[in-house]
Amino acid sequence: DGGITQSPKYLFRKEGQNVTLSCEQNLNHDAMYWYRQDPGQGLRLIYYSQIVNDFQKGDIAEGYSVSREKKESFPLTVTSAQKNPTAFYLCASSLGAGGAEKLFFGSGTQLSVL
Amino acid sequence: GEDVEQSLFLSVREGDSSVINCTYTDSSSTYLYWYKQEPGAGLQLLTYIFSNMDMKQDQRLTVLLNKKDKHLSLRIADTQTGDSAIYFCAESAGGTSYGKLTFGQGTILTVHP
């Protein structure tokens, strides 16, 4: 079955620690995205990538980093510079052909600070 | 910048119609979307509408767009308990904006017997 897999489902971060959230897709999509969701707020775009080896900052990129070495994978690192990391993180992908981009979402990772 | 606003809560009785409203500010919005999120899960695309349309129907779902007032609504006919979820309105400018969607805060729909 095609889809997007995020792991882990729950993650805990200690003070000063970097953590990496995994996102893998087998939909053969060119574009991938990371969104952050806070309670009572909409989703906010962290980073996006339209093609392998290229990515752009979204609206709230500070304290985060990404890589796109393979088409299927778009991991997100939450660095110690991100002072308020507790949130639900959603990865998505789309064909990247322009027009009405239909985003397919993973099931999310809940990150909490210890 | 772009802004998308939704009311936070809606409660309806099973079998009634639900209407979820959304307003947006970006006049260059080309596509408007409705997504559904169930607890602890990702978002699922329900439907979308191109800005040169004023209505789109898909089974129990009807989307109405008033481009002049920048108002979008989602009507769910014969609402069922399985429709209880958070509904997000989103917009994009299309073209090179790709999947850079701007989302509203989400409307929590509660369906009671």
Side-chain angles (χ1 to χ4, degrees):
Chain A
D1 285 337
I4 300 180
T5 302
Q6 289 189 242
S7 62
K9 191 159 180 64
Y10 300 97
L11 187 58
F12 297 91
R13 193 191 90 166
K14 293 180 183 177
E15 197 79 31
Q17 188 182 40
N18 293 354
V19 292
T20 297
L21 284 61
S22 170
C23 178
E24 304 276 331
Q25 54 99 359
N26 62 3
L27 298 167
N28 200 33
H29 284 170
D30 283 320
M32 296 187 75
Y33 316 84
W34 276 105
Y35 283 88
R36 170 179 170 144
Q37 183 178 17
D38 295 281
Q41 296 188 38
L43 279 66
R44 291 181 290 168
L45 183 63
I46 305 172
Y47 268 97
Y48 64 102
S49 167
Q50 295 170 352
I51 198 167
V52 174
N53 291 323
D54 188 42
F55 50 83
Q56 283 78 40
K57 293 181 180 180
D59 300 320
I60 56 164
E62 187 174 346
Y64 300 97
S65 66
V66 293
S67 63
R68 185 85 187 277
E69 296 175 3
K70 297 188 298 180
K71 187 175 185 177
E72 303 79 20
S73 178
F74 192 41
L76 173 75
T77 297
V78 183
T79 75
S80 56
Q82 172 48 247
K83 296 307 178 191
N84 184 21
T86 296
F88 191 54
Y89 290 86
L90 287 160
C91 179
S93 71
S94 70
L95 277 172
E101 283 295 318
K102 299 168 194 172
L103 267 59
F104 290 79
F105 282 84
S107 55
T109 294
Q110 175 64 51
L111 175 62
S112 304
V113 176
L114 288 176
Chain B
E2 306 92 350
D3 196 20
V4 178
E5 296 282 338
Q6 299 177 240
S7 52
L8 291 183
F9 302 99
L10 177 64
S11 180
V12 300
R13 184 173 293 182
E14 191 173 17
D16 287 350
S17 292
S18 306
V19 180
I20 302 171
N21 294 300
C22 170
T23 58
Y24 60 99
T25 59
D26 188 1
S27 56
S28 66
S29 296
T30 304
Y31 299 97
L32 296 124
Y33 307 81
W34 284 103
Y35 281 85
K36 176 183 179 182
Q37 184 181 35
E38 297 185 0
L43 276 67
Q44 172 195 356
L45 178 65
L46 289 176
T47 187
Y48 68 94
I49 189 167
F50 187 48
S51 61
N52 69 352
M53 299 169 64
D54 53 19
M55 186 181 95
K56 182 177 181 180
Q57 188 152 3
D58 184 0
Q59 299 182 333
R60 289 191 299 125
L61 305 179
T62 302
V63 178
L64 295 178
L65 174 61
N66 181 328
K67 195 174 180 181
K68 174 176 167 288
D69 295 338
K70 298 190 183 68
H71 182 266
L72 182 75
S73 67
L74 173 70
R75 179 177 178 270
I76 305 172
D78 187 26
T79 313
Q80 302 298 307
T81 55
D83 294 323
S84 293
I86 305 176
Y87 290 80
F88 290 94
C89 168
E91 63 87 24
S92 74
T96 57
S97 295
Y98 288 91
K100 289 173 60 184
L101 272 58
T102 299
F103 285 85
Q105 313 94 306
T107 298
I108 300 173
L109 174 63
T110 304
V111 182
H112 53 89

